[in-house]
Amino acid sequence: MTTNNSNNSNKFFEVRLAIYAGSNERKAFDTDAMRSLGFTGVDFDSVKAMLQTAVLPKEAFYPFLAVRKSVQEFLAQKGMNHDLLGRLFNPQEREEIILFLNEKKSEYEEAKKVFLADYARAKSEQLEKVRNSAALKGLEPEPLVRAVAENQPSVEYYARKFEFRFIDSSIELDAEEWRYELKKINEDLVERTCYELSRDAEKIRNDLTSTTTRVSKILEQVARLRSLSFYIPALSSLASDIEELVNNHCGGVKRPKEYSQAETLLASSLVKVVWENARNLVKSKATLKPIFLEEAERVAMLLQEDEDQLNIGFSESQQDLEVKPEPEPELIEEIEAPSVIEEIVDVIPEFKKPPAPAVSSVGAFAF
């Protein structure tokens, strides 16, 4: 859809898809099979409608499921659903979309050829699985094998059933004749964009796998917003703002261990800001950068507080580890008490103290 005036778009481009990816389960159990499973006659009617079993190996359908998932993921980034007009896309991306779908259709057709050529072997493989499983559980295998074999579709069924079809069409409504309806269509698309941007941002915010994953998913939203800007021009500048903030503040895309704590927190903050302000951002009632930078200042303040607390704690622990010198003992002057001998001498004059022994030094020892 392209914009023909400042308010509403009147040109729409849509794609419709029909991709059959197969199913390996069917209601295959008959009376004998249910009796083999231990059910009695009174249970048959109530149980038969509920029992399903695999009639083919589920791995046989993996290539088709992979193609369908790839197409769904690609188109999910390129368009917007509308109840009246279906899945709408940017007409400027028509060539890219059709090229991708044709490539996937070729991949699907190759998988179909392999499936049909290998179908007989896949049928036999599944019957052998049923037989072995029944034997391990102590059940009579043949009624179960026969019930599954009778419900395995023919190869012609899958040759007809497997199809990858799509049509693309361009719609242009007369701007004057459909003025009121066009206004409603564009309002619907804006509201849908508000809802999906908020929803997707919340999913990214709750995804705690890694910062790399979070940043990658944010940039996926950038591509989606640019694709949707064909009917909301403001989304182009919003996409550019998100991309700039991711690269300048969140570290861009790199390995998980390469992100700093600040970059990890800022990536989470960016998603939070988009989630909380999605409606105003889409409707140009708010600008992303000032809101995010205010949040970034808060994050920087918190990190600084954490660092200050860490430094205080480190300083205290260092003080605890320092060896403090023991205080020198206070010197107390001793008063020598008179010896007992001196007291005796004073009292008994006749008593004589023995002479002091002579001291001689030899080498480093005193004798």
Side-chain angles (χ1 to χ4, degrees):
M1 178 169 53
T2 57
T3 305
N4 67 328
N5 56 57
S6 59
N7 296 316
N8 297 323
S9 300
N10 70 325
K11 295 180 181 180
F12 307 89
F13 166 62
E14 66 168 340
V15 174
R16 296 185 180 272
L17 284 164
I19 304 175
Y20 179 74
S23 173
N24 70 323
E25 291 192 349
R26 287 196 168 193
K27 295 181 176 66
F29 293 124
D30 57 14
T31 300
D32 290 340
M34 287 190 292
R35 186 176 288 112
S36 178
L37 289 171
F39 294 105
T40 62
V42 295
D43 301 321
F44 289 170
D45 290 338
S46 58
V47 172
K48 186 175 181 179
M50 295 165 36
L51 287 178
Q52 286 189 323
T53 190
V55 295
L56 287 171
K58 62 181 179 181
E59 295 84 0
F61 298 95
Y62 284 173
F64 306 103
L65 292 169
V67 169
R68 185 171 68 179
K69 181 180 179 182
S70 176
V71 170
Q72 290 172 339
E73 290 177 347
F74 176 81
L75 294 181
Q77 297 300 320
K78 293 290 183 182
M80 178 70 65
N81 286 327
H82 188 270
D83 295 338
L84 184 62
L85 300 175
R87 186 79 181 178
L88 302 178
F89 299 92
N90 187 340
Q92 297 175 356
E93 297 177 336
R94 180 183 182 279
E95 184 176 348
E96 176 190 357
I97 293 172
I98 299 305
L99 177 62
F100 176 84
L101 291 178
N102 281 326
E103 289 175 351
K104 287 300 173 179
K105 184 174 182 178
S106 297
E107 184 180 334
Y108 182 96
E109 293 298 332
E110 287 299 317
K112 179 178 178 180
K113 290 178 183 178
V114 173
F115 178 91
L116 296 178
D118 196 47
Y119 186 60
R121 187 205 59 79
K123 288 173 62 178
S124 299
E125 177 185 326
Q126 186 61 25
L127 296 178
E128 193 62 24
K129 285 183 180 179
V130 173
R131 182 176 286 106
N132 294 336
S133 178
L136 288 173
K137 295 176 181 177
L139 303 173
E140 174 60 35
E142 291 313 312
L144 300 173
V145 171
R146 178 179 49 78
V148 171
E150 290 177 353
N151 283 274
Q152 288 179 320
S154 66
V155 68
E156 291 79 15
Y157 169 85
Y158 283 116
R160 182 179 69 256
K161 194 73 174 175
F162 275 116
E163 285 189 318
F164 184 120
R165 295 184 298 164
F166 71 89
I167 57 173
D168 66 285
S169 59
S170 297
I171 304 172
E172 182 173 358
L173 300 177
D174 184 273
E176 184 61 31
E177 181 180 357
W178 298 98
R179 182 173 66 256
Y180 297 109
E181 191 60 42
L182 285 171
K183 182 175 182 296
K184 183 66 170 62
I185 289 172
N186 282 269
E187 288 175 351
D188 291 344
L189 294 175
V190 170
E191 289 299 320
R192 184 73 182 179
T193 303
C194 294
Y195 164 74
E196 291 193 0
L197 179 60
S198 176
R199 178 201 63 191
D200 294 342
E202 185 178 16
K203 286 182 180 179
I204 298 172
R205 185 167 180 255
N206 293 332
D207 186 349
L208 304 178
T209 50
S210 71
T211 304
T212 300
T213 301
R214 176 169 291 169
V215 169
S216 297
K217 290 185 176 181
I218 295 173
L219 293 177
E220 287 178 4
Q221 289 301 308
V222 169
R224 175 167 169 74
L225 291 173
R226 285 187 172 136
S227 178
L228 297 176
S229 65
F230 64 93
Y231 66 90
I232 307 178
L235 296 184
S236 180
S237 59
L238 175 58
S240 297
D241 286 349
I242 294 175
E243 186 174 41
E244 180 183 337
L245 294 173
V246 166
N247 293 326
N248 294 345
H249 295 270
C250 307
V253 179
K254 53 188 177 182
R255 291 180 296 180
K257 293 183 179 180
E258 295 178 350
Y259 287 98
S260 66
Q261 183 183 14
E263 289 171 339
T264 296
L265 292 175
L266 289 172
S268 179
S269 297
L270 177 57
V271 178
K272 174 176 175 286
V273 167
V274 173
W275 170 54
E276 292 178 341
N277 299 275
R279 177 171 294 277
N280 288 335
L281 292 172
V282 171
K283 295 187 174 184
S284 298
K285 295 181 179 180
T287 305
L288 179 61
K289 282 186 179 180
I291 303 174
F292 171 78
L293 293 177
E294 182 179 343
E295 184 72 12
E297 289 180 4
R298 187 184 69 84
V299 170
M301 188 181 303
L302 291 174
L303 289 174
Q304 186 61 51
E305 290 177 359
D306 289 345
E307 185 176 350
D308 292 343
Q309 289 295 326
L310 183 64
N311 291 335
I312 292 173
F314 180 75
S315 176
E316 291 176 349
S317 64
Q318 286 294 100
Q319 291 176 10
D320 293 339
L321 292 174
E322 290 179 0
V323 179
K324 298 180 179 179
E326 293 288 340
E328 294 184 4
E330 185 178 350
L331 295 178
I332 301 175
E333 184 178 354
E334 294 184 0
I335 301 176
E336 187 177 353
S339 67
V340 175
I341 294 177
E342 289 174 343
E343 291 177 358
I344 294 174
V345 170
D346 292 340
V347 175
I348 308 176
E350 299 83 6
F351 185 85
K352 299 294 183 180
K353 289 190 289 183
V359 177
S360 62
S361 295
V362 180
F365 297 93
F367 297 93

PDB file of all heavy atoms in Angstrom, residues 54-74:
ATOM      1  N   ALA A  54      -0.621 -42.590  14.528  1.00  0.00           N
ATOM      2  CA  ALA A  54       0.225 -42.164  13.418  1.00  0.00           C
ATOM      3  C   ALA A  54       0.185 -43.221  12.330  1.00  0.00           C
ATOM      4  O   ALA A  54       0.485 -44.384  12.584  1.00  0.00           O
ATOM      5  CB  ALA A  54       1.648 -41.940  13.908  1.00  0.00           C
ATOM      6  N   VAL A  55      -0.166 -42.826  11.122  1.00  0.00           N
ATOM      7  CA  VAL A  55      -0.211 -43.768  10.009  1.00  0.00           C
ATOM      8  C   VAL A  55       1.023 -43.663   9.131  1.00  0.00           C
ATOM      9  O   VAL A  55       1.230 -44.487   8.240  1.00  0.00           O
ATOM     10  CB  VAL A  55      -1.491 -43.559   9.158  1.00  0.00           C
ATOM     11  CG1 VAL A  55      -2.736 -43.878   9.981  1.00  0.00           C
ATOM     12  CG2 VAL A  55      -1.557 -42.139   8.611  1.00  0.00           C
ATOM     13  N   LEU A  56       1.846 -42.631   9.381  1.00  0.00           N
ATOM     14  CA  LEU A  56       3.112 -42.444   8.661  1.00  0.00           C
ATOM     15  C   LEU A  56       4.128 -41.849   9.633  1.00  0.00           C
ATOM     16  O   LEU A  56       3.744 -41.196  10.614  1.00  0.00           O
ATOM     17  CB  LEU A  56       2.940 -41.497   7.471  1.00  0.00           C
ATOM     18  CG  LEU A  56       2.182 -42.031   6.257  1.00  0.00           C
ATOM     19  CD1 LEU A  56       1.921 -40.891   5.285  1.00  0.00           C
ATOM     20  CD2 LEU A  56       2.939 -43.153   5.560  1.00  0.00           C
ATOM     21  N   PRO A  57       5.420 -42.049   9.401  1.00  0.00           N
ATOM     22  CA  PRO A  57       6.432 -41.424  10.258  1.00  0.00           C
ATOM     23  C   PRO A  57       6.319 -39.894  10.189  1.00  0.00           C
ATOM     24  O   PRO A  57       6.219 -39.323   9.108  1.00  0.00           O
ATOM     25  CB  PRO A  57       7.762 -41.907   9.671  1.00  0.00           C
ATOM     26  CG  PRO A  57       7.420 -43.111   8.864  1.00  0.00           C
ATOM     27  CD  PRO A  57       6.032 -42.887   8.344  1.00  0.00           C
ATOM     28  N   LYS A  58       6.333 -39.246  11.338  1.00  0.00           N
ATOM     29  CA  LYS A  58       6.185 -37.783  11.332  1.00  0.00           C
ATOM     30  C   LYS A  58       7.354 -37.096  10.626  1.00  0.00           C
ATOM     31  O   LYS A  58       7.204 -35.997  10.084  1.00  0.00           O
ATOM     32  CB  LYS A  58       6.057 -37.276  12.762  1.00  0.00           C
ATOM     33  CG  LYS A  58       7.252 -37.552  13.649  1.00  0.00           C
ATOM     34  CD  LYS A  58       7.016 -37.039  15.063  1.00  0.00           C
ATOM     35  CE  LYS A  58       8.221 -37.340  15.964  1.00  0.00           C
ATOM     36  NZ  LYS A  58       7.983 -36.862  17.352  1.00  0.00           N
ATOM     37  N   GLU A  59       8.515 -37.775  10.599  1.00  0.00           N
ATOM     38  CA  GLU A  59       9.679 -37.180   9.950  1.00  0.00           C
ATOM     39  C   GLU A  59       9.455 -36.965   8.454  1.00  0.00           C
ATOM     40  O   GLU A  59      10.096 -36.101   7.833  1.00  0.00           O
ATOM     41  CB  GLU A  59      10.910 -38.063  10.150  1.00  0.00           C
ATOM     42  CG  GLU A  59      11.365 -38.186  11.604  1.00  0.00           C
ATOM     43  CD  GLU A  59      10.595 -39.254  12.362  1.00  0.00           C
ATOM     44  OE1 GLU A  59       9.703 -39.895  11.749  1.00  0.00           O
ATOM     45  OE2 GLU A  59      10.864 -39.443  13.565  1.00  0.00           O
ATOM     46  N   ALA A  60       8.541 -37.731   7.870  1.00  0.00           N
ATOM     47  CA  ALA A  60       8.298 -37.607   6.430  1.00  0.00           C
ATOM     48  C   ALA A  60       7.745 -36.227   6.063  1.00  0.00           C
ATOM     49  O   ALA A  60       7.887 -35.773   4.921  1.00  0.00           O
ATOM     50  CB  ALA A  60       7.331 -38.696   5.974  1.00  0.00           C
ATOM     51  N   PHE A  61       7.122 -35.550   7.032  1.00  0.00           N
ATOM     52  CA  PHE A  61       6.490 -34.261   6.751  1.00  0.00           C
ATOM     53  C   PHE A  61       7.355 -33.074   7.152  1.00  0.00           C
ATOM     54  O   PHE A  61       6.970 -31.924   6.939  1.00  0.00           O
ATOM     55  CB  PHE A  61       5.142 -34.179   7.474  1.00  0.00           C
ATOM     56  CG  PHE A  61       4.162 -35.221   7.037  1.00  0.00           C
ATOM     57  CD1 PHE A  61       4.031 -36.413   7.744  1.00  0.00           C
ATOM     58  CD2 PHE A  61       3.382 -35.036   5.915  1.00  0.00           C
ATOM     59  CE1 PHE A  61       3.137 -37.386   7.336  1.00  0.00           C
ATOM     60  CE2 PHE A  61       2.476 -36.004   5.500  1.00  0.00           C
ATOM     61  CZ  PHE A  61       2.363 -37.182   6.209  1.00  0.00           C
ATOM     62  N   TYR A  62       8.516 -33.311   7.746  1.00  0.00           N
ATOM     63  CA  TYR A  62       9.369 -32.227   8.214  1.00  0.00           C
ATOM     64  C   TYR A  62       9.749 -31.219   7.120  1.00  0.00           C
ATOM     65  O   TYR A  62       9.719 -29.998   7.359  1.00  0.00           O
ATOM     66  CB  TYR A  62      10.637 -32.783   8.866  1.00  0.00           C
ATOM     67  CG  TYR A  62      10.430 -33.349  10.253  1.00  0.00           C
ATOM     68  CD1 TYR A  62      11.447 -34.022  10.920  1.00  0.00           C
ATOM     69  CD2 TYR A  62       9.210 -33.211  10.914  1.00  0.00           C
ATOM     70  CE1 TYR A  62      11.268 -34.542  12.193  1.00  0.00           C
ATOM     71  CE2 TYR A  62       9.007 -33.733  12.175  1.00  0.00           C
ATOM     72  CZ  TYR A  62      10.054 -34.392  12.821  1.00  0.00           C
ATOM     73  OH  TYR A  62       9.871 -34.906  14.076  1.00  0.00           O
ATOM     74  N   PRO A  63      10.121 -31.657   5.909  1.00  0.00           N
ATOM     75  CA  PRO A  63      10.490 -30.666   4.876  1.00  0.00           C
ATOM     76  C   PRO A  63       9.359 -29.691   4.541  1.00  0.00           C
ATOM     77  O   PRO A  63       9.602 -28.498   4.332  1.00  0.00           O
ATOM     78  CB  PRO A  63      10.854 -31.533   3.666  1.00  0.00           C
ATOM     79  CG  PRO A  63      11.250 -32.852   4.248  1.00  0.00           C
ATOM     80  CD  PRO A  63      10.354 -33.043   5.430  1.00  0.00           C
ATOM     81  N   PHE A  64       8.128 -30.191   4.506  1.00  0.00           N
ATOM     82  CA  PHE A  64       6.987 -29.327   4.191  1.00  0.00           C
ATOM     83  C   PHE A  64       6.707 -28.353   5.340  1.00  0.00           C
ATOM     84  O   PHE A  64       6.389 -27.182   5.106  1.00  0.00           O
ATOM     85  CB  PHE A  64       5.754 -30.181   3.896  1.00  0.00           C
ATOM     86  CG  PHE A  64       5.974 -31.208   2.832  1.00  0.00           C
ATOM     87  CD1 PHE A  64       6.155 -32.555   3.159  1.00  0.00           C
ATOM     88  CD2 PHE A  64       6.022 -30.852   1.493  1.00  0.00           C
ATOM     89  CE1 PHE A  64       6.369 -33.504   2.177  1.00  0.00           C
ATOM     90  CE2 PHE A  64       6.235 -31.791   0.506  1.00  0.00           C
ATOM     91  CZ  PHE A  64       6.415 -33.125   0.856  1.00  0.00           C
ATOM     92  N   LEU A  65       6.829 -28.850   6.556  1.00  0.00           N
ATOM     93  CA  LEU A  65       6.621 -27.984   7.717  1.00  0.00           C
ATOM     94  C   LEU A  65       7.683 -26.895   7.779  1.00  0.00           C
ATOM     95  O   LEU A  65       7.391 -25.750   8.138  1.00  0.00           O
ATOM     96  CB  LEU A  65       6.653 -28.821   9.002  1.00  0.00           C
ATOM     97  CG  LEU A  65       5.490 -29.803   9.189  1.00  0.00           C
ATOM     98  CD1 LEU A  65       5.767 -30.746  10.352  1.00  0.00           C
ATOM     99  CD2 LEU A  65       4.185 -29.051   9.424  1.00  0.00           C
ATOM    100  N   ALA A  66       8.914 -27.244   7.397  1.00  0.00           N
ATOM    101  CA  ALA A  66      10.002 -26.261   7.410  1.00  0.00           C
ATOM    102  C   ALA A  66       9.753 -25.149   6.388  1.00  0.00           C
ATOM    103  O   ALA A  66       9.980 -23.964   6.675  1.00  0.00           O
ATOM    104  CB  ALA A  66      11.331 -26.954   7.136  1.00  0.00           C
ATOM    105  N   VAL A  67       9.278 -25.519   5.202  1.00  0.00           N
ATOM    106  CA  VAL A  67       8.981 -24.517   4.168  1.00  0.00           C
ATOM    107  C   VAL A  67       7.863 -23.596   4.648  1.00  0.00           C
ATOM    108  O   VAL A  67       7.959 -22.367   4.530  1.00  0.00           O
ATOM    109  CB  VAL A  67       8.593 -25.194   2.841  1.00  0.00           C
ATOM    110  CG1 VAL A  67       8.034 -24.166   1.854  1.00  0.00           C
ATOM    111  CG2 VAL A  67       9.797 -25.903   2.231  1.00  0.00           C
ATOM    112  N   ARG A  68       6.817 -24.185   5.179  1.00  0.00           N
ATOM    113  CA  ARG A  68       5.686 -23.367   5.630  1.00  0.00           C
ATOM    114  C   ARG A  68       6.097 -22.410   6.751  1.00  0.00           C
ATOM    115  O   ARG A  68       5.716 -21.233   6.753  1.00  0.00           O
ATOM    116  CB  ARG A  68       4.537 -24.262   6.105  1.00  0.00           C
ATOM    117  CG  ARG A  68       3.285 -23.468   6.462  1.00  0.00           C
ATOM    118  CD  ARG A  68       2.099 -24.373   6.725  1.00  0.00           C
ATOM    119  NE  ARG A  68       2.274 -25.154   7.949  1.00  0.00           N
ATOM    120  CZ  ARG A  68       1.371 -26.016   8.412  1.00  0.00           C
ATOM    121  NH1 ARG A  68       0.253 -26.226   7.719  1.00  0.00           N
ATOM    122  NH2 ARG A  68       1.591 -26.682   9.521  1.00  0.00           N
ATOM    123  N   LYS A  69       6.896 -22.894   7.700  1.00  0.00           N
ATOM    124  CA  LYS A  69       7.348 -22.034   8.793  1.00  0.00           C
ATOM    125  C   LYS A  69       8.203 -20.891   8.270  1.00  0.00           C
ATOM    126  O   LYS A  69       8.069 -19.747   8.715  1.00  0.00           O
ATOM    127  CB  LYS A  69       8.135 -22.867   9.805  1.00  0.00           C
ATOM    128  CG  LYS A  69       8.617 -22.060  10.992  1.00  0.00           C
ATOM    129  CD  LYS A  69       9.397 -22.916  11.974  1.00  0.00           C
ATOM    130  CE  LYS A  69       9.891 -22.081  13.147  1.00  0.00           C
ATOM    131  NZ  LYS A  69      10.705 -22.881  14.097  1.00  0.00           N
ATOM    132  N   SER A  70       9.077 -21.187   7.322  1.00  0.00           N
ATOM    133  CA  SER A  70       9.941 -20.154   6.750  1.00  0.00           C
ATOM    134  C   SER A  70       9.118 -19.063   6.070  1.00  0.00           C
ATOM    135  O   SER A  70       9.392 -17.864   6.223  1.00  0.00           O
ATOM    136  CB  SER A  70      10.912 -20.792   5.749  1.00  0.00           C
ATOM    137  OG  SER A  70      11.705 -19.813   5.117  1.00  0.00           O
ATOM    138  N   VAL A  71       8.094 -19.473   5.334  1.00  0.00           N
ATOM    139  CA  VAL A  71       7.221 -18.500   4.650  1.00  0.00           C
ATOM    140  C   VAL A  71       6.467 -17.659   5.666  1.00  0.00           C
ATOM    141  O   VAL A  71       6.357 -16.427   5.538  1.00  0.00           O
ATOM    142  CB  VAL A  71       6.245 -19.229   3.707  1.00  0.00           C
ATOM    143  CG1 VAL A  71       5.186 -18.261   3.179  1.00  0.00           C
ATOM    144  CG2 VAL A  71       7.004 -19.870   2.555  1.00  0.00           C
ATOM    145  N   GLN A  72       5.940 -18.310   6.692  1.00  0.00           N
ATOM    146  CA  GLN A  72       5.188 -17.586   7.714  1.00  0.00           C
ATOM    147  C   GLN A  72       6.050 -16.555   8.420  1.00  0.00           C
ATOM    148  O   GLN A  72       5.623 -15.421   8.659  1.00  0.00           O
ATOM    149  CB  GLN A  72       4.600 -18.579   8.722  1.00  0.00           C
ATOM    150  CG  GLN A  72       3.476 -19.434   8.171  1.00  0.00           C
ATOM    151  CD  GLN A  72       3.046 -20.536   9.119  1.00  0.00           C
ATOM    152  OE1 GLN A  72       3.802 -20.940  10.016  1.00  0.00           O
ATOM    153  NE2 GLN A  72       1.830 -21.037   8.955  1.00  0.00           N
ATOM    154  N   GLU A  73       7.276 -16.929   8.769  1.00  0.00           N
ATOM    155  CA  GLU A  73       8.166 -16.000   9.469  1.00  0.00           C
ATOM    156  C   GLU A  73       8.555 -14.825   8.577  1.00  0.00           C
ATOM    157  O   GLU A  73       8.650 -13.687   9.043  1.00  0.00           O
ATOM    158  CB  GLU A  73       9.417 -16.747   9.946  1.00  0.00           C
ATOM    159  CG  GLU A  73       9.130 -17.730  11.082  1.00  0.00           C
ATOM    160  CD  GLU A  73      10.376 -18.503  11.493  1.00  0.00           C
ATOM    161  OE1 GLU A  73      11.376 -18.457  10.738  1.00  0.00           O
ATOM    162  OE2 GLU A  73      10.355 -19.146  12.562  1.00  0.00           O
ATOM    163  N   PHE A  74       8.778 -15.100   7.301  1.00  0.00           N
ATOM    164  CA  PHE A  74       9.146 -14.031   6.365  1.00  0.00           C
ATOM    165  C   PHE A  74       8.005 -13.030   6.216  1.00  0.00           C
ATOM    166  O   PHE A  74       8.204 -11.813   6.315  1.00  0.00           O
ATOM    167  CB  PHE A  74       9.513 -14.641   5.014  1.00  0.00           C
ATOM    168  CG  PHE A  74       9.804 -13.632   3.950  1.00  0.00           C
ATOM    169  CD1 PHE A  74      11.037 -13.008   3.874  1.00  0.00           C
ATOM    170  CD2 PHE A  74       8.838 -13.291   3.005  1.00  0.00           C
ATOM    171  CE1 PHE A  74      11.312 -12.067   2.892  1.00  0.00           C
ATOM    172  CE2 PHE A  74       9.095 -12.355   2.025  1.00  0.00           C
ATOM    173  CZ  PHE A  74      10.330 -11.742   1.964  1.00  0.00           C
TER     174      PHE A  74
END
